[in-house]
Amino acid sequence: MSTAPADAGPDDIHDLDDLHTRVLDWYADHARDLPWRAADRTPWGVLVSEVMLQQTPVARVLPQWLAWMERWPTPSDLADAAPGDAVRAWDRLGYPRRALRRHAAAGAVRAEHGGEVPEDHARLLALPGVGTYTAAAVASFAFGQRHAVVDTNVRRVHARAVTGAAEPAAALTAAEQRLAVALLPEDAPTAARWAVAVMELGALVCTARSPRCDDCPLLDRCAWVLAGRPAHDGPARRGQAWAGTDRQVRGKLLSVLRGSADPVTADELAACWADDRQRARCLDGLVADGLVEPLPDGRFSLPRT
DNA sequence: GACACGTGGTA
DNA sequence: TTACCAAGTGT
């Protein structure tokens, strides 16, 4: 069990089978009934869910995903909309650049892939807003391929159950990636189920704050538990500053834009933040990011093209 | 590799 | 209440 799976011998293969069986059985009994996992889901729906879920809790994504899928059921439907419509519909999910990239990705899917979400990992990766994780997740969840899907939940489960650490490193390491690959079941359908199952275990049981070890199928073989649940020894995570930051100002500016059907004046924007210098800098940043469009008459709107 | 990037729920 | 945390990506 302490042997690295990369050095797998006969005993470790049995060990790996045991790991797979426990997690897959647990998932069969405890998986949440999420709409992007439903039998009638589309690859587009999976892609939309993955982007929405980036750094954003499931509970907040759920209603937004349903609304988006009803409004823009295919990539081409979204590509036909103005980017500003996507930003407005993104509402308060946070990180609105994701909405812009989602819209750009819809255009790329139509222009380069005949309107169908590509199955190939490299082509997925080339879409705006799709990084290593999301490309692997879509290839695995939507198309049943065999990929190491490594998100924060998976990293935490691996760190505890296999490596014996309370928390994974600050950033994804090559060793973690290799471990994730080494743990993958051989056949694609099982690997795809494994990927979503480990993630679900991390989301529901092996949580960051207060893990529910009593409910964990791996309790009696968890390396971290067996080691006496040692505390995290690495550096504490840096909290994200918020009050007074550009991020907060950007959020306020965009909130004004989202809330208005018509373009807004500079005065209306000024009302949301007193510091002229900072407000101007943030507005420039939003324009540079393509989230805000300055109009010839001096007003501002969400991007129209 | 570090940093910027939104928002709101929870302990 | 303050701080942490949530299915990351792009620069």
Side-chain angles (χ1 to χ4, degrees), chain A residues 135-270:
Chain A
V138 173
S140 179
F141 302 161
F143 299 116
Q145 297 170 24
R146 184 176 184 271
H147 290 281
V149 182
V150 186
D151 77 327
T152 187
N153 290 306
V154 172
R155 295 183 64 214
R156 195 170 50 244
V157 173
H158 289 176
R160 289 178 183 157
V162 180
T163 311
E167 295 176 27
L172 178 64
T173 65
E176 284 183 83
Q177 187 66 33
R178 282 196 301 274
L179 174 60
V181 171
L183 293 177
L184 232 35
E186 287 300 323
D187 68 288
T190 307
R193 226 170 334 118
W194 162 257
V196 71
V198 176
M199 196 175 301
E200 191 78 336
L201 187 63
L204 298 182
V205 175
C206 195
T207 55
R209 207 98 46 123
S210 306
R212 292 182 259 283
C213 297
D214 289 343
D215 299 328
C216 184
L218 304 178
L219 176 59
D220 66 10
R221 59 161 296 167
C222 174
W224 180 57
V225 170
L226 261 24
R229 306 190 201 203
H232 177 57
D233 60 356
R237 266 189 226 183
R238 290 197 47 188
Q240 298 180 352
W242 176 247
T245 61
D246 285 3
R247 277 164 102 172
Q248 183 185 19
V249 180
R250 288 168 58 105
K252 284 180 177 294
L253 289 170
L254 221 43
S255 177
V256 173
L257 272 298
R258 274 198 312 264
S260 172
D262 298 317
V264 303
T265 64
D267 283 348
E268 289 175 88
L269 292 177

Side-chain angles (χ1 to χ4, degrees), chain A residues 52 64-73 78 86 89-90 102:
Chain A
M52 286 186 168
Q64 297 293 354
W65 186 88
L66 293 170
W68 268 58
M69 294 311 293
E70 179 166 350
R71 184 170 180 184
W72 297 303
L78 178 57
W90 198 255
R102 183 99 324 286

Side-chain angles (χ1 to χ4, degrees), chain A residues 46-47 50-54 98 101-102 105 118-141 147-151 172 177:
Chain A
V46 173
L47 179 55
E50 289 304 332
V51 174
M52 286 186 168
L53 286 163
Q54 290 168 7
R98 291 185 293 166
R101 295 190 183 121
R102 183 99 324 286
E119 299 189 26
D120 179 68
H121 182 275
R123 294 180 197 283
L124 286 165
L125 194 55
L127 296 174
V130 175
T132 305
Y133 161 76
T134 302
V138 173
S140 179
F141 302 161
H147 290 281
V149 182
V150 186
D151 77 327
L172 178 64
Q177 187 66 33

